[in-house]
Amino acid sequence: MAADSQRRAVVLIDGEHYPSVLRAALAALAEAGTNPVTALLLGGTEKIAGADAPMDLGVPTRWAGGAEGAYDPAAAAAALDELIAQDRPDVVVDLSDEPILGPRRRLQLASHALVAGVAYEGPDFRLTPPPRPRVAGRPTVAVVGTGKTAVTADFARRLAAGGRTPVIVAMGRGGPPDPVVVSAGAAPDLEALLSIAEGGGHAASDFYEDALTSGVATVGARRCGGGLAGAVAFSNVAEAVGAADDLPGDLTLLEGSGAALPPVHADATALIVPGDCDPELLDGYLGRYRILLADLIVVTMCEPPTSSPHQVEAVLEVIRSTSRSLPVLCTVLRPVPMGPVAGAKAFFAMTAPAAVGESLAAWLESQHGCEVVATSNHLSNRPALRADLERAPAFEVLLVELKAAAVDVAARIASAAGAQVVFCDNRPVVVGPDGRATEDGDASLAAAVDRIAGLADERFAPR
């Protein structure tokens, strides 16, 4: 960005301020070293003669209001996108106020500025684009949001089956102090994971799960903190990407963590959204920033009781209101044991809500031939998980996702009781918004994976 004395600014204003006040404010900005190049009038006619009336503000002024001076979110966002592309500002300065632009609408417009790499500031706030430097030596696809680990592993398997050689870089809040490489096909077994846990490591870190469920090379990293737009406070992800570049491969999958985004550049992005997500979290609170970054959206858990068709449709409508052309897939996640369990009495430990435990257990019984004698949805609650295991009827197999307390609690207790431990994958299945499977679902997901990998290739090539 230019130095403060040379900053170029698109300034947001409204017709609830007298033109003379706006003129004085723009002059004060220029005197302080922020030079307005365009003013975007967002609506409001109380103190101006009308939308087309000259205001003599000293800079070109563009009207983006709606009928009768009302604020028009779509028109405002489109106009801001155009002015940022046209005027190449260093900052968007917001001099508007309620009732034209309140906090929610401000964050919507801030999302457009941040995606364009432009800071957004007002009288008592400043939002800066999360730094995402280009460090990878090959095309990259970021997979971010809730449910990303299952989707990342699925992408990796599909890419490998299609002849690509993907490498996964996964960051986590329990990741290693230095990047750890797991070679393709060399995921640690239960004994090795127990040893990691004994040594104080996080044996259920996402990168171990990715290595186990995808079979591709994986690099583990750590991060701490998460900002409103997904920035992290500290991480070693750049070093992990460097380690990934040293491995055989032609595409790197960058897996986010929680709501945080990988703090490095991605050539293409897949956003994972739960079907029961509060639509306000997508349209406000910089949720729009994540939608604008995305080249593909995968909505997960699109089935009752987790998500009703009405809830899923509300989520889809928010996405459509931001981008009608963005590809969107609705999915559910289904458990797949990583070893044989047919005929065995099984205890199933998961992170899924208790409300879906019965249906997932029924799926395991019908598709994989085991008898689920007990379940626990407390994989992220160590005391409750321990209690569930201790009061469970006798079981021969522990089926468990490689997450949270899977190793240090669940696997230890099961092994001590003489039960076999079989890790369980979660795999996306494409459905309609009503949760019903579609005939061409697998082909749709395969095509989406090929498309986003192709976008990454195309965007990386000019570099």
Side-chain angles (χ1 to χ4, degrees):
M1 189 177 82
D4 283 355
S5 61
Q6 301 173 338
R7 293 199 313 172
R8 293 167 55 83
V10 169
V11 182
L12 308 182
I13 60 174
D14 63 50
E16 306 296 304
H17 292 78
Y18 278 109
S20 60
V21 174
L22 292 171
R23 279 195 294 274
L26 293 177
L29 278 176
E31 186 175 350
T34 297
N35 301 313
V37 293
T38 309
L40 181 59
L41 183 56
L42 299 173
T45 56
E46 180 180 319
K47 295 180 176 67
I48 62 174
D52 298 324
M55 298 182 65
D56 301 322
L57 298 181
V59 297
T61 303
R62 176 169 173 175
W63 170 261
E68 299 182 359
Y71 178 74
D72 183 331
L80 181 58
D81 287 344
E82 291 177 13
L83 291 178
I84 288 174
Q86 168 190 300
D87 296 327
R88 303 180 66 82
D90 301 300
V91 63
V92 172
V93 177
D94 189 344
L95 295 183
S96 71
D97 196 2
E98 297 193 47
I100 300 304
L101 206 64
R104 179 173 180 272
R105 290 170 173 171
R106 276 182 163 152
L107 289 173
Q108 288 177 336
L109 290 181
S111 296
H112 289 261
L114 297 181
V115 165
V118 177
Y120 185 99
E121 65 183 42
D124 59 3
F125 64 88
R126 176 177 172 81
L127 299 172
T128 55
R132 301 181 74 191
R134 295 178 182 269
V135 297
R138 60 172 65 113
T140 53
V141 174
V143 184
V144 302
T146 302
K148 59 200 160 294
T149 302
V151 174
T152 300
D154 188 79
F155 279 20
R157 284 191 301 270
R158 291 176 183 275
L159 289 165
R164 301 290 300 255
T165 308
V167 177
I168 298 173
V169 172
M171 67 179 187
R173 285 167 280 196
D178 297 303
V180 172
V181 174
V182 180
S183 300
D189 59 14
L190 177 60
E191 183 178 353
L193 291 172
L194 286 168
S195 177
I196 291 167
E198 289 289 346
H202 183 30
S205 193
D206 286 346
F207 76 98
Y208 287 129
E209 182 182 4
D210 284 324
L212 176 73
T213 58
S214 73
V216 308
T218 305
V219 184
R222 62 168 40 175
R223 64 95 176 179
C224 183
L228 297 179
V232 302
F234 306 97
S235 86
N236 56 3
V237 172
E239 292 89 340
V241 171
D245 281 346
D246 291 336
L247 300 173
D250 57 16
L251 180 75
T252 298
L253 296 172
L254 303 169
E255 184 179 320
S257 170
L261 307 180
V264 295
H265 174 80
D267 297 301
T269 299
L271 173 63
I272 318 304
V273 176
D276 63 345
C277 174
D278 181 352
E280 177 63 15
L281 295 178
L282 281 179
D283 208 26
Y285 304 101
L286 295 183
R288 182 174 290 199
Y289 171 74
R290 292 164 172 81
I291 295 177
L292 292 169
L293 277 179
D295 299 288
L296 168 68
I297 292 185
V298 178
V299 185
T300 59
M301 300 183 288
C302 295
E303 62 182 336
T306 305
S307 309
S308 69
H310 175 75
Q311 288 174 306
V312 174
E313 188 54 45
V315 168
L316 295 176
E317 185 51 41
V318 168
I319 297 169
R320 295 187 198 108
S321 71
T322 302
S323 174
R324 292 276 173 183
S325 61
L326 187 62
V328 181
L329 293 174
C330 294
T331 66
V332 295
L333 297 176
R334 292 290 180 258
V336 177
M338 303 298 294
V341 295
K345 295 182 183 295
F347 182 104
F348 179 39
M350 57 191 156
T351 53
V356 301
E358 186 176 334
S359 63
L360 296 180
W363 172 270
L364 285 167
E365 291 180 337
S366 66
Q367 300 296 312
H368 300 283
C370 59
E371 178 188 355
V372 179
V373 298
T375 66
S376 174
N377 69 307
H378 292 133
L379 202 51
S380 298
N381 183 330
R382 284 169 168 78
L385 174 63
R386 187 174 290 108
D388 288 344
L389 283 160
E390 289 173 350
R391 64 170 168 256
F395 59 91
E396 300 163 308
V397 172
L398 168 69
L399 275 173
V400 61
E401 304 170 75
L402 186 52
K403 297 179 183 296
V407 178
D408 58 322
V409 175
R412 278 177 175 164
I413 292 175
S415 297
Q420 180 187 5
V421 177
V422 175
F423 290 109
C424 204
D425 190 11
N426 285 305
R427 298 191 178 176
V429 176
V430 176
V431 297
D434 59 359
R436 297 180 181 178
T438 60
E439 291 184 3
D440 62 346
D442 192 67
S444 298
L445 186 52
V449 173
D450 287 344
R451 175 184 175 276
I452 200 167
L455 284 174
D457 291 338
E458 292 170 14
R459 293 169 181 171
F460 180 83
R463 293 164 49 195

